[in-house]
Amino acid sequence: MPRHPSPNALAALLERQSIRAFQPEQVSRHTIEQILDAARYAPSGTNTQPWHVIVVSGAAKTRLCEHVAQVRRAEPEREAGANVAGEYRYYSDPMTEPYLSRRRRVGWDMYRSLGIAKGDRAASRDAAGRNYRFFDAPVGLIFTLERVLEKGSWIDLGIFLQSVMIAARHYGLDTCAQGAWARYHDIVRKELAIPDGHVVVCGMALGYADMHAPVNTIRAQREPLDTFARFVDQPLATKGSTVA
C-alpha cells in the first residue's frame, strides 16, 4: 500500500526516503505538473533557474529502459567503478573516509534486504539493473543542465531536485534520485532528443511506494548533528592575536 501524504514540509523532509520498489498505479499528468510547478519556486543564484526536466512514461519509458538494458548487456564495463561513465565524476577517486564507510553501509543494508550475499556479483548487477527500469515506477524524470553552466548551477539543480522530492510527498508520492542514469547519457540523449549542449545529470523515479517490499524497509542512517555542524557565537582568534 502507498504512504499517506505528508501533512507539512517538516514531515515531508523526515519521511522522504529513496524508494526502490513502486506500485504499478499510474500518476496523473496533472499531479506531475503540480509537483513540478511547486518545485519551480526553488531558489537559484540570481534567479537563473538553470534546471531542465523531461518527464517520461508509457511506451517512451519502456523503450528507453529496453534500449539501456540492451547496452548494459553489450557493454558491462560502463558500470565498472564508482564513477559514472562519460560526462562527469560523481565521487572522489579514491573515496576517503568517512564517506566510503557510509556508502558501503547503506549498500550492504540494501543488499541484505534483497537477500544478496556478499560477493554475489551477478545478483548485485541484477539489483543495479533495476535502476534502469526506474525501479518499476510509472514515471521517470531526467534532469539536465546546459553544458556551459558552472558549479553554482549544479548546486541550484540539487535544490530543485530536493524540492521535487518534497513536493511529491505532499501528494502521497515517493521518489528515488538516480545518478546511475548518467552512465547511459548517450542513450538517454538519443531516446529523448536531448541537445548535445546539455549534460544528462541524473534521473528520478516517481510513483506510489510499495511499502511491502523489503528493500523499502531500509532507511539510510544519518549522522548526528554534532558530526557536521559547528556553532560559532564569539569572534575566532586570528593569526598573531593574543587570547587572554
Side-chain angles (χ1 to χ4, degrees):
M1 67 180 181
R3 299 200 287 175
H4 294 296
S6 297
N8 54 57
L10 182 58
L13 279 167
L14 297 176
E15 293 171 0
R16 188 218 63 81
Q17 68 183 91
S18 295
I19 293 296
R20 294 181 172 87
F22 289 84
Q23 298 185 76
E25 182 180 351
Q26 296 299 306
V27 181
S28 72
R29 176 167 176 165
H30 176 70
T31 299
I32 300 168
E33 289 176 344
Q34 292 287 96
I35 290 169
L36 296 177
D37 194 57
R40 71 190 173 95
Y41 287 94
S44 58
T46 60
N47 199 35
T48 49
Q49 305 173 67
W51 44 75
H52 295 264
V53 56
I54 300 168
V55 181
V56 58
S57 61
K61 182 173 76 74
T62 298
R63 174 171 163 150
L64 171 64
C65 294
E66 289 177 349
H67 193 169
V68 169
Q70 292 171 5
V71 177
R72 284 190 86 231
R73 290 191 292 270
E75 302 176 26
E77 66 277 5
R78 285 196 188 221
E79 295 176 37
N83 279 305
V84 299
E87 299 201 288
Y88 72 95
R89 300 177 71 84
Y90 196 104
Y91 299 106
S92 59
D93 188 11
M95 186 178 290
T96 58
E97 295 294 350
Y99 316 111
L100 179 60
S101 292
R102 293 171 185 169
R103 183 173 188 269
R104 285 174 171 169
R105 183 192 309 145
V106 73
W108 285 119
D109 285 348
M110 184 180 68
Y111 286 157
R112 277 192 293 270
S113 76
L114 294 169
I116 299 174
K118 189 173 184 178
D120 189 343
R121 296 185 181 279
S124 297
R125 181 170 170 79
D126 286 344
R130 299 185 67 250
N131 269 287
Y132 306 108
R133 302 200 313 263
F134 292 102
F135 299 109
D136 297 322
V139 179
L141 306 176
I142 297 293
F143 299 88
T144 74
L145 286 174
E146 288 196 53
R147 201 176 298 277
V148 297
L149 296 172
E150 289 289 350
K151 291 180 180 178
S153 294
W154 290 67
I155 295 171
D156 297 338
L157 176 61
I159 299 171
F160 179 74
L161 292 171
Q162 176 78 332
S163 299
V164 171
M165 292 186 276
I166 298 306
R169 287 299 310 128
H170 174 78
Y171 292 94
L173 291 159
D174 278 284
T175 55
C176 185
Q178 301 172 273
W181 281 99
R183 293 184 185 268
Y184 295 90
H185 59 91
D186 52 337
I187 310 304
V188 175
R189 187 183 311 284
K190 179 179 179 180
E191 288 290 337
L192 302 181
I194 296 171
D196 290 339
H198 283 227
V199 177
V200 176
V201 178
C202 65
M204 184 183 292
L206 173 69
Y208 293 98
D210 179 1
M211 296 311 293
H212 292 303
V215 72
N216 288 337
T217 65
I218 300 302
R219 292 299 303 267
Q221 298 179 30
R222 294 297 194 260
E223 299 299 316
L225 182 65
D226 60 7
T227 65
F228 64 85
R230 185 164 61 95
F231 293 81
V232 179
D233 58 9
Q234 295 293 329
L236 299 177
T238 58
K239 185 176 181 181
S241 66
T242 301
V243 178

